[in-house]
Every structure is written in structure tokens, then in C-alpha cells.
Amino acid sequence: TMLFNVRSLQWDKGLLSRCKIPPQILPEVKPSGALFGKTEQQGALPEGIPVAALAADQPAALLALAGLEKGLAKTSYDLNCHVMVNIGNSPKFSTAGLATTPACSDSRKTAYILEGNVPTGGWAVHWLRDSLHLIDSIQETSAIAQSVQDSKNLYLVPQYENSGSMQ
């Protein structure tokens, strides 16, 4: 939300005040493994199942890949391209535009990540498939890329426009 202070691990009182957001409308900040509540009866979902863990999309993927150790990293490539590295138990801030985020925490410590994101990184591959019809599936691009021995200094730098088309 950008209203969260990663140093104090609380909602930033100054930003909330400047944005005129009452803090009571925001959820309580808890460690990742805390009890957040229990399910209510909904269709086949029974009442009372504890919801006792919380991790966001990309940090959860890092943790699932055993990224609890400082220095371990993961990348993912879809419409967005992500790279993140576990930077240990204290926040460090990038001068190169990377985001510092808490990945997970318990009552004693917090694991922080440094994350880079290219929000339109995968659009070029979708454009090759959906607009130019040069490939049938995204998976084909791996074999094609590996078959190139020398690109002769040719680089593709996609430019995404707000119109939703690739130029």
C-alpha cells in the first residue's frame, strides 16, 4: 500500500495523517505466522478453520523455494518479471530503484527482501504469440533463445503503450 513503514513494521502515522486515512480502517499488523481469524461457513467450506499464515505472492514464492536464508534469490517471468533476494533481518535500501519489503516475520525477527520488477517484461513474448503469431506457445521461446549462438549485438527493447498494444 506504500503506507507501511518497513522500519517500524507498522502503518506510517505521518503518511496516514497526510493522506487523511484513519488508521482504524486498516488491518491490524501481525507477524506472518499469527492467527488472523477463522473461516465462516461458506458452501462446502466449514466454519472454524484457522487462518494462521500470511505471505504475499512473490515473497511467498521465494519462501516456498527455501529462500529463508540470507543471499538466496528467485526470479519469475510472466507478464511481469521479478527478481528478489533475501537480504537478512534488517532492511537495507537500494539507490538503484529496488524495493525493500518485509517477506515474512515472527514475533522475534523479520526477513527482508530486495525486489526488482519489470512490469511489462513479458509482454513482448505475448505479442509474438498473440499479435504476430510467430510462436504457438510461450514455452517455445526457451528453445528458440537457446538455439541462438550469437545475437550479433542485436537487442529487443519492448515499449509498452497504455493502449494495450506492443510497439
Side-chain angles (χ1 to χ4, degrees):
T1 65
M2 304 306 287
L3 297 172
F4 189 76
N5 185 315
V6 298
R7 287 187 173 112
S8 69
L9 299 175
Q10 296 295 323
W11 299 111
D12 190 290
K13 291 178 180 148
L15 288 174
L16 294 178
S17 175
R18 285 181 69 179
C19 295
K20 296 182 172 75
I21 298 173
Q24 62 270 21
I25 70 167
L26 297 172
E28 178 184 352
V29 176
K30 295 182 177 186
S32 303
L35 178 63
F36 288 87
K38 294 183 179 182
T39 61
E40 294 181 2
Q41 173 70 42
Q42 296 290 325
L45 183 67
E47 182 177 341
I49 298 173
V51 178
L54 176 69
D57 177 27
Q58 294 300 320
L62 175 65
L63 299 173
L65 296 168
L68 290 172
E69 191 175 316
K70 182 179 178 180
L72 291 180
K74 75 120 192 130
T75 61
S76 62
Y77 308 96
D78 48 35
L79 290 178
N80 299 322
C81 297
H82 305 271
V83 62
M84 60 180 48
V85 63
N86 183 328
I87 57 173
N89 298 119
S90 60
K92 295 168 187 68
F93 298 94
S94 167
T95 58
L98 301 174
T100 300
T101 308
C104 66
S105 63
D106 61 25
S107 59
R108 299 178 315 272
K109 63 184 177 184
T110 299
Y112 288 90
I113 57 172
L114 202 54
E115 178 179 16
N117 181 9
V118 179
T120 58
W123 277 100
V125 176
H126 285 262
W127 176 65
L128 291 173
R129 183 191 66 193
D130 300 341
S131 296
L132 297 181
H133 307 287
L134 294 176
I135 59 173
D136 292 322
S137 73
I138 292 170
Q139 290 74 18
E140 289 177 50
T141 59
S142 178
I144 293 168
Q146 291 176 9
S147 72
V148 175
Q149 292 184 6
D150 184 355
S151 69
K152 302 192 186 319
N153 293 320
L154 175 66
Y155 299 93
L156 170 66
V157 181
Q159 171 60 45
Y160 175 70
E161 292 186 358
N162 288 337
S163 67
S165 64
M166 212 43 178
Q167 301 296 318

